[in-house]
Amino acid sequence: MGLYRQAGYARRAALFETLYASGMRISEALSLPSDAASPGTRMLLVRGKGDKQRLAPLHERAIDALALWQKLAEAYSGGAPSPWLFHSVRNGTKALTRQAALLEIKEAAVAAGLASPERVSPHVLRHAFATHMHAGGTDLRVLQELLGHAGIETTQIYTHLDTSRLHHMVRDLHPLNEADAQAIE
C-alpha cells in the first residue's frame, strides 16, 4: 500500500477516534488547527458554537491515531506544514471538507458491513459518545459541558435511556422488586 493511501486511512482513523473520544461536532473537528494535537495531548481546545471554547478529552486510541496521521501526513507532504489538523492528504493547505469527511464515514460503514450504512454520520458518533458517557455514569451537567451545549435541555435529548438498563435498575433498586416482595410473603 502506498504512502498516500496509508495517510488517508490514518486520517480516517484519527478523525473517527477523535470524534468518538471527544463528542465534537464535525465542524469543530475540521476547524482544529494543526498544533491542536501536539504529541501526547490528552485534551483538545475546541472552539464551538458562539465562539465558545471548551476542553475535549481524548482517549489513548485517539491520541495514537492522531500521532500516526500526523507522522504519515508529514512523510507524504515532505514535511510541508499544514494549518489544519484534518486536511487533504494531497494538499495540506486545504482543510478536509464536511462532504469529504461524511463520504469517508459512509465508506467505512459500508466496508464494515453495517446493516444501514446510510444512517451513519458524524452526528451519530457524537450521539454515541453522549449515550455511552451517560450510560457509564457521567453527570448530565458534565456531559453538557463536554458537548458544548448552552442548555441542559439539548443534552437530555442525546441521553435516551437504554430500556434494558432501566429494567435492571428497577429490578435491582426498586423497593418493591421481586426479591423483596418474596421476602415479605
Side-chain angles (χ1 to χ4, degrees):
M1 179 182 328
L3 186 56
Y4 172 78
R5 183 168 281 180
Q6 285 179 321
Y9 286 139
R11 180 190 63 202
R12 178 186 288 183
L15 180 62
F16 291 4
E17 291 291 349
T18 300
L19 290 173
Y20 179 68
S22 66
M24 270 189 270
R25 297 172 182 92
I26 188 67
S27 58
E28 294 168 342
L30 298 180
S31 66
L32 287 169
S34 60
D35 62 356
S38 55
T41 297
R42 301 195 75 68
M43 301 286 270
L44 296 174
L45 184 61
V46 178
R47 189 172 304 278
K49 286 186 175 180
D51 215 26
K52 292 181 184 173
Q53 290 186 334
R54 69 180 189 282
L55 289 175
L58 293 177
H59 52 60
E60 208 60 45
R61 286 178 53 167
I63 293 166
D64 293 346
L66 283 166
L68 179 61
W69 155 236
Q70 290 172 316
K71 176 184 166 191
L72 290 173
E74 185 178 325
Y76 183 80
S77 71
S82 172
W84 311 107
L85 180 58
F86 296 107
H87 55 81
S88 165
V89 175
R90 289 196 200 281
N91 182 352
T93 64
K94 293 184 178 181
L96 184 65
T97 65
R98 291 174 59 108
Q99 294 83 359
L102 180 60
L103 181 61
E104 287 197 3
I105 289 171
K106 299 288 185 195
E107 287 173 353
V110 168
L114 297 182
S116 301
E118 70 281 356
R119 295 180 63 195
V120 179
S121 69
H123 191 74
V124 167
L125 291 173
R126 180 171 162 84
H127 186 79
F129 164 83
T131 302
H132 295 154
M133 292 293 287
H134 183 62
T138 302
D139 180 78
L140 276 180
R141 292 287 178 190
V142 172
L143 194 53
Q144 175 187 356
E145 180 66 28
L146 290 172
L147 292 168
H149 288 156
I152 195 72
E153 308 80 28
T154 307
T155 308
Q156 289 171 329
I157 292 168
Y158 279 91
T159 57
H160 63 282
L161 282 177
D162 175 2
T163 56
S164 66
R165 181 172 179 248
L166 181 60
H167 171 74
H168 290 292
M169 287 177 66
V170 169
R171 184 196 66 208
D172 296 341
L173 302 174
H174 195 283
L176 296 178
N177 69 26
E178 289 181 32
D180 286 342
Q182 288 175 354
I184 293 173
E185 292 174 2

